[in-house]
Amino acid sequence: MLLLGKNIANSLLQTYQKTLLTLPRSPHLVAILIGDHPASHTYVAMKEKACTQVGMRSSVIKLEASISLLTLLQRIDQLNEDPLVDGILIQLPLPPHLDPTLVMQHLDPSKDVDGFHPLNMGKLLLGQSDGFVPCTPLGIQTLLNESKISLAGQHVVIVGRSSIVGKPLAALLVQKHPQANATVTLAHSHSRNLFELTATADVLVAALGHPRFIKAHAVKQGAVVIDVGITREQGKLVGDVDFEEVAPKCRAITPVPGGVGPMTVAMLVHNTLVSCQRRCKNY
C-alpha cells in the first residue's frame, strides 16, 4: 500500500475549512523568514498555499540575514502581544549568529504552532494534550491513523534523533493513547548493529537526512516504512529510503515527494486552527 500523504492532507484541509467557518474570525498564521535560504522560501510558500486553500489568513515577515538577535526578539514580542495573531512560525534554519534555542524560547508557547518551545516539548513528553505537537511527528501519527494502521504493541524504530522529528516522534508514539501505545526504539549514528535493529521494526521511520540510506536488507518483510527525508539528487527529489528496492518488501510505504511532507503542512494549519479556537474561547 502506498501511503499518499498528499491525498490525506487535502482531505483534512477540506475538513479544517469547514471548521474555520464556525469561528468568529479567521485564524492568522505569521511566518518569520530570515535571509535568502532557497529551501526556506519554498517551504514558506507551501505553507502559505495551504492557508489560502482553507481560507486562513497568513503573513510572511521577511528579514535580512544580518538582523541582530535583539531586533528579532523585539519583532517576536510584537507578535506575541498581538491578539489577532494565532500562530508564529520561525522558519529554520536561522543564520549562524542567531541561536535557534533562544529564539524559540522567546515565542509565546500558546502561539508556538510548530511545537518547538520547551514548554510544548515538555507537555508532549508528559502526555498533556493542551500543548502543540511538532508538525512532522503529528503528521506521521495522523497519516498512520487515517490509513487504519494501528501502532498498539508494534515495534517502531526511528532512525534519527533530531528535536524536530526523531525525539518528539518517539515521545508521541510511546504515549498511553489509542493512536500510540507503541514500543519505540530511537536509533542513530552511534547505534550498534543499526541495520539488524531496523530489520526488527514493524514500523520503520527514516529521518536521518541521508538519501537512499535504508536498503532492502535493513527492512523487515511486511513492515510499514515512513520516509521523512527529502534530498534533491540530479534534479529529482529522493528520500532516506531506497524506494524502488524497499517497496516490494513493505506492507505500506510513503513516497517522496507526496508522503510525509504534505502532512507536515496540514498539521501546521491544524495547530493554527486549534490556537485560534482556544483564543476565541478565552476572549
Side-chain angles (χ1 to χ4, degrees):
M1 176 170 61
L2 198 59
L3 299 174
L4 290 171
K6 61 181 179 181
N7 292 349
I8 294 173
N10 283 331
S11 177
L12 290 171
L13 290 175
Q14 291 176 9
T15 301
Y16 301 154
Q17 184 177 31
K18 294 176 183 176
T19 303
L20 187 148
L21 296 175
T22 68
L23 297 175
R25 63 172 178 82
S26 176
H28 185 193
L29 172 67
V30 177
I32 296 178
L33 182 58
I34 303 171
D36 297 315
H37 194 279
S40 292
H41 282 262
T42 300
Y43 294 146
V44 168
M46 290 169 56
K47 294 161 186 175
E48 281 190 288
K49 182 179 178 181
C51 288
T52 301
Q53 185 174 337
V54 301
M56 183 181 291
R57 185 181 171 198
S58 67
S59 304
V60 179
I61 297 175
K62 297 180 180 179
L63 301 172
E64 295 293 331
S66 59
I67 189 171
S68 70
L69 177 61
L70 178 61
T71 302
L72 174 58
L73 296 184
Q74 288 172 341
R75 295 300 298 269
I76 293 173
D77 280 336
Q78 294 170 357
L79 299 174
N80 284 341
E81 294 166 7
D82 188 338
L84 297 181
V85 171
D86 301 292
I88 304 170
L89 163 71
I90 310 292
Q91 183 62 47
L92 301 176
L94 297 178
H97 69 284
L98 297 175
D99 184 340
T101 301
L102 287 176
V103 173
M104 293 301 170
Q105 287 177 348
H106 206 75
L107 285 177
D108 178 346
S110 72
K111 297 186 179 187
D112 168 40
V113 288
D114 254 342
F116 295 152
H117 190 281
L119 182 62
N120 285 320
M121 284 288 193
K123 288 183 174 183
L124 170 60
L125 189 61
L126 293 171
Q128 297 177 358
S129 61
D130 61 334
F132 288 113
V133 177
C135 297
T136 298
L138 184 59
I140 291 169
Q141 183 186 50
T142 304
L143 173 64
L144 293 170
N145 183 58
E146 293 290 326
S147 302
K148 310 301 181 188
I149 296 173
S150 174
L151 292 170
Q154 298 294 291
H155 182 205
V156 177
V157 176
I158 303 167
V159 184
R161 53 181 169 178
S162 76
S163 296
I164 296 174
V165 182
K167 285 188 281 190
L169 180 62
L172 181 64
L173 300 188
V174 79
Q175 296 296 330
K176 189 175 183 180
H177 187 277
Q179 296 176 21
N181 289 315
T183 300
V184 179
T185 299
L186 187 58
H188 46 79
S189 58
H190 290 270
S191 297
R192 293 181 182 176
N193 304 316
L194 177 60
F195 293 135
E196 292 179 18
L197 188 60
T198 60
T200 68
D202 302 306
V203 178
L204 176 61
V205 181
L208 64 158
H210 292 283
R212 306 181 195 273
F213 184 80
I214 301 295
K215 305 290 186 180
H217 68 86
V219 179
K220 178 181 178 181
Q221 185 69 40
V224 174
V225 175
I226 306 296
D227 192 348
V228 182
I230 185 162
T231 305
R232 186 172 294 278
E233 276 191 347
Q234 299 176 345
K236 180 182 178 182
L237 294 175
V238 298
D240 289 349
V241 176
D242 191 328
F243 183 88
E244 290 76 12
E245 185 177 309
V246 170
K249 293 188 72 174
C250 297
R251 169 188 166 198
I253 186 171
T254 60
V256 176
V260 173
M263 294 299 299
T264 298
V265 176
M267 293 304 100
L268 179 66
V269 173
H270 168 270
N271 283 351
T272 306
L273 180 59
V274 168
S275 178
C276 184
Q277 288 174 317
R278 293 172 179 170
R279 215 161 297 281
C280 291
K281 183 179 179 180
N282 291 334
Y283 288 101

